[in-house]
Amino acid sequence: AERVEGLISVLVPQILNQGIPNRIKELETIYGKLDWRVALKISLETTQQKFCKFDTQQEAMETGIRVGLAYLTLGVVASPLEGFVGLKIKKRSDGKEYYSLMYSGPIRSAGGTAGAMSVVIADYIRKNMGYEIYDPSEREIRRMVTEIYDYHERVTNLQYLPSEKEIRFLVNNLPVQIDGDASENIEVSNYKDLDRIETNKIRSGPCLVLGECIAQKAAKLWTQIKKWGHEFGLEHWAFLQEFVQLQKETKSKEKTAKKGIVPVYTYIE
């Protein structure tokens, strides 16, 4: 609990000695140690400025996400500071505001599960702070598909490369935009000059978060969220159930999976 506070205070010095470690310990007695619900609660309370004041609401929301991610990663890796780079508030086509999460390469150090859960934490804060969900355009969806494949083929292999169907489904259903700064000198091969994606260069952060975090750990995320998601207003994450089904069909390349063990071609490749 103290490491969480110590790590985040590097960026946000005012959170030191404001009672976050004690509150984490209280929440652990309610939910259990390292339960994801502790991360959700502590991140929202930080955002609501229950421990200390922030200059702007955006800084409060950003710090909340960092605190939640630091808790999930035991306060021992740099991903809450450098993997999650920041939060941008962008406009939907109807003019309402939505969350755009900026990720970069060091999110790797969080591991797939914590990386995926950081998106859930951000969404939980988004919902409680009254922001709208992200409305991806067809070109933005195609850009993500192209970019993940470009990254995998031209930069470095992803541990888990989602199929085009999986990427389309995720970008369409995620309530926040997964974004990031350019990390490579190579440009994406297609779908450039989009209004709500600031660079034409390949961004490692979104490729890792969508591929190695959310897509790879969807089943694990859903196992937890289906138990207590309704208590936290996360019912809209039920799309993960459909995604896991889609993933099984894609991996085994058979619509009607026979009873017993189905081949997982993703790993055989």
Side-chain angles (χ1 to χ4, degrees):
E2 284 166 15
R3 280 203 301 263
V4 169
E5 177 188 72
L7 180 70
I8 305 304
S9 72
V10 173
L11 277 185
V12 193
Q14 69 264 39
I15 72 164
L16 265 181
N17 308 321
Q18 299 297 324
I20 289 180
N22 288 339
R23 181 62 182 144
I24 288 178
K25 286 168 194 160
E26 277 170 27
L27 290 167
E28 285 185 334
T29 55
I30 303 168
Y31 297 114
K33 284 196 170 154
L34 293 182
D35 192 292
W36 295 354
R37 289 170 290 184
V38 177
L40 287 169
K41 282 277 192 200
I42 197 73
S43 60
L44 183 62
E45 288 178 9
T46 305
T47 304
Q48 291 166 338
Q49 312 199 24
K50 289 189 176 173
F51 304 107
C52 65
K53 291 280 172 268
F54 298 98
D55 297 337
T56 61
Q57 189 182 20
Q58 188 163 342
E59 189 192 3
M61 296 185 292
E62 230 169 57
T63 307
I65 298 169
R66 292 189 201 279
V67 167
L69 180 55
Y71 178 75
L72 293 174
T73 54
L74 312 178
V76 295
V77 293
S79 45
L81 307 180
E82 295 169 3
F84 169 66
V85 186
L87 169 69
K88 289 195 173 173
I89 304 295
K90 295 185 182 173
K91 291 246 190 302
R92 286 162 36 114
S93 51
D94 59 9
K96 291 177 178 164
E97 294 183 321
Y98 72 88
Y99 268 25
S100 171
L101 307 177
M102 304 297 284
Y103 285 100
S104 72
I107 191 67
R108 270 196 191 90
S109 65
T113 309
M117 194 57 201
S118 70
V119 180
V120 180
I121 290 172
D123 177 52
Y124 177 60
I125 292 174
R126 170 201 71 77
K127 202 171 173 198
N128 280 284
M129 300 307 278
Y131 286 83
E132 283 297 318
I133 60 170
Y134 169 47
D135 59 333
S137 67
E138 178 58 28
R139 286 182 67 80
E140 285 167 351
I141 295 172
R142 289 182 178 181
R143 159 72 187 257
M144 261 335 299
V145 174
T146 308
E147 191 162 0
I148 286 178
Y149 278 84
D150 282 351
Y151 180 77
H152 182 74
E153 286 154 14
R154 300 169 66 191
V155 183
T156 178
N157 277 14
L158 286 163
Q159 277 177 19
Y160 177 80
L161 179 67
S163 64
E164 183 175 336
K165 266 187 183 168
E166 287 170 63
I167 303 167
R168 292 187 68 91
F169 184 89
L170 279 181
V171 180
N172 236 327
N173 286 281
L174 280 171
V176 292
Q177 181 182 5
I178 308 295
D179 200 352
D181 297 321
S183 63
E184 313 302 322
N185 285 324
I186 315 167
E187 290 202 341
V188 282
S189 51
N190 207 338
Y191 303 106
K192 301 178 184 181
D193 304 322
L194 303 183
D195 292 341
R196 298 192 297 186
I197 296 176
E198 289 158 28
T199 176
N200 288 331
K201 293 191 170 151
I202 293 178
R203 306 160 297 161
S204 60
C207 298
L208 291 164
V209 171
L210 279 167
E212 293 186 357
C213 299
I214 301 170
Q216 192 173 348
K217 302 293 181 182
K220 195 170 174 184
L221 270 190
W222 177 237
T223 309
Q224 289 283 339
I225 292 175
K226 71 178 174 196
K227 289 184 205 156
W228 43 254
H230 56 283
E231 295 168 39
F232 288 81
L234 296 173
E235 298 88 349
H236 53 292
W237 280 83
F239 71 82
L240 285 174
Q241 186 173 17
E242 208 182 317
F243 176 76
V244 173
Q245 196 46 49
L246 169 89
Q247 210 172 32
K248 279 183 186 155
E249 286 167 11
T250 317
K251 280 184 187 172
S252 61
K253 297 185 181 170
E254 296 168 30
K255 271 287 176 211
T256 49
K258 296 179 194 74
K259 285 220 168 95
I261 300 171
V262 290
V264 178
Y265 289 101
T266 326
Y267 292 102
I268 297 170
E269 276 171 12

